[in-house]
Amino acid sequence: MPALNLLDGKTVLVTGATGFIGTHLVRRLSQNPGIHLVLLTRKPLTQSQYGITSVAAALDQLTPETWQAAGIEKIDVVFHLGAFIPKSSDAINLVEQVYRDNLLGTRSLLESLPTPPQQIVFASTIDVYAPLPNGVALSESSPVEPGSLYGASKLFCELLIRSYARQRGCNCAILRYGHIFGPGEGAYKKLIPQTIQRLLRDEAPILYGDGSAERDFLYVEDAVEATLRAATSEIQELGAVNIVRGGSSSIRSITETLIQLTGFSGSIQYLADKPNGQSWRFDSIKMQELLGKWKLISLEEGLKEEVNYFRSYSQ
């Protein structure tokens, strides 16, 4: 039975509902009219929709009265995606934002819930891991040693969620998202959106070194599928589970694919004096074992969807 059907009749809260992954998750959840969706956003939504309750509040300001004012007496499933997520490497150690949104925000969310939910799905990150030798596949058993305040905050929140779930007798799932891509990630200074935007401006893509560094990219709809499956798992304490493709491609080959998809007639600009950078490989065995297998959207098809998104967005 599809995971979406198993949520029928439940009240489902999504924090970070207007974020990159959150937007795609809400779209999928909206396909089941039997789900009562509660969307937590920092700013009020401009449009209302039948069966959806919108709550505008900052995570760290949540109290039991927040839900009472919205007429919400219980929440069955919590998708906790809301957080301060750095949009560039310069922001990974911003103390105020990390502490307020991730630490205080998660604590306030848990303390404010009207009743203990049946399931909590927490969006963590691969940034909790220690760096590995170049090209070595990272798995859930790899050493944990965050190199930033952002990664450390996510690791702390993983423990906080687990502790809450054990004390309240509810299920929880800890998902460590890898390199997720797709329509809607334009606000982030990442390889794929930045390269697409350059190509659509008829500017040459820029790669460090020879572009041989590898990345493991998972399309956002597959990340959502994994998230929904985690929410309907019968395992009391699921994870941590890395949400990854399990197959890496070189930055150069990804860029070449984007050149073909955009019709750019120029060539790649290589900065030979810059280091190639870290290669990332991931082991997806645990994800497949715990969440099941499904046909993943191919890298090329996902890139095509994102190119079309940027094209339509710029028109």
Side-chain angles (χ1 to χ4, degrees), residues 13-17 40-43 55-63 66-67 78-84 97-112 122 154 157:
L13 168 65
V14 180
T15 72
L40 180 67
T41 59
R42 188 174 293 275
K43 297 179 181 179
V55 177
L59 278 168
D60 65 309
Q61 299 299 315
L62 291 174
T63 66
T66 304
W67 311 115
V78 176
F79 290 98
H80 183 28
L81 279 64
F84 169 73
Q97 291 89 331
V98 169
Y99 182 72
R100 178 194 64 210
D101 294 351
N102 298 2
L103 301 183
L104 291 181
T106 298
R107 177 185 175 183
S108 296
L109 169 66
L110 296 176
E111 292 180 346
S112 74
F122 177 61
K154 284 293 192 176
C157 288

Side-chain angles (χ1 to χ4, degrees), residues 2-81:
L4 202 59
N5 294 347
L6 296 175
L7 295 174
D8 193 63
K10 297 185 182 297
T11 297
V12 175
L13 168 65
V14 180
T15 72
T18 58
F20 170 40
I21 297 177
T23 300
H24 289 267
L25 175 62
V26 169
R27 186 178 300 116
R28 282 284 297 276
L29 290 168
S30 299
Q31 294 174 4
N32 183 345
I35 297 174
H36 174 205
L37 264 178
V38 181
L39 308 184
L40 180 67
T41 59
R42 188 174 293 275
K43 297 179 181 179
L45 296 178
T46 55
Q47 294 181 333
S48 60
Q49 186 175 337
Y50 178 76
I52 295 181
T53 300
S54 175
V55 177
L59 278 168
D60 65 309
Q61 299 299 315
L62 291 174
T63 66
E65 289 72 29
T66 304
W67 311 115
Q68 293 174 11
I72 299 168
E73 298 179 354
K74 71 163 186 171
I75 296 172
D76 299 305
V77 178
V78 176
F79 290 98
H80 183 28
L81 279 64

Side-chain angles (χ1 to χ4, degrees), residues 156-260:
F156 177 83
C157 288
E158 287 184 12
L159 301 176
L160 186 60
I161 296 286
R162 283 197 181 99
S163 177
Y164 175 91
R166 290 170 182 170
Q167 293 175 11
R168 303 302 196 280
C170 57
N171 291 4
C172 70
I174 307 298
L175 305 183
R176 292 173 178 166
Y177 292 97
H179 301 131
I180 311 301
F181 78 103
E185 63 167 339
Y188 296 87
K189 295 181 179 180
K190 297 181 178 180
L191 169 69
I192 292 176
Q194 288 201 308
T195 300
I196 293 174
Q197 291 176 85
R198 288 188 65 86
L199 291 170
L200 293 179
R201 293 194 302 265
D202 202 33
E203 299 175 4
I206 299 174
L207 297 185
Y208 284 8
D210 60 6
S212 62
E214 296 182 343
R215 295 288 185 273
D216 179 313
F217 283 108
L218 181 69
Y219 190 60
V220 63
E221 292 297 339
D222 288 317
V224 167
E225 177 65 26
T227 304
L228 290 171
R229 289 178 178 226
T232 54
S233 170
E234 296 182 356
I235 300 175
Q236 185 170 7
E237 192 171 297
L238 181 73
V241 181
N242 294 336
I243 306 303
V244 296
R245 175 176 294 278
S248 297
S249 301
S250 71
I251 291 175
R252 181 175 60 251
S253 66
I254 293 169
T255 304
E256 289 171 345
T257 299
L258 290 173
I259 287 175
Q260 293 175 353

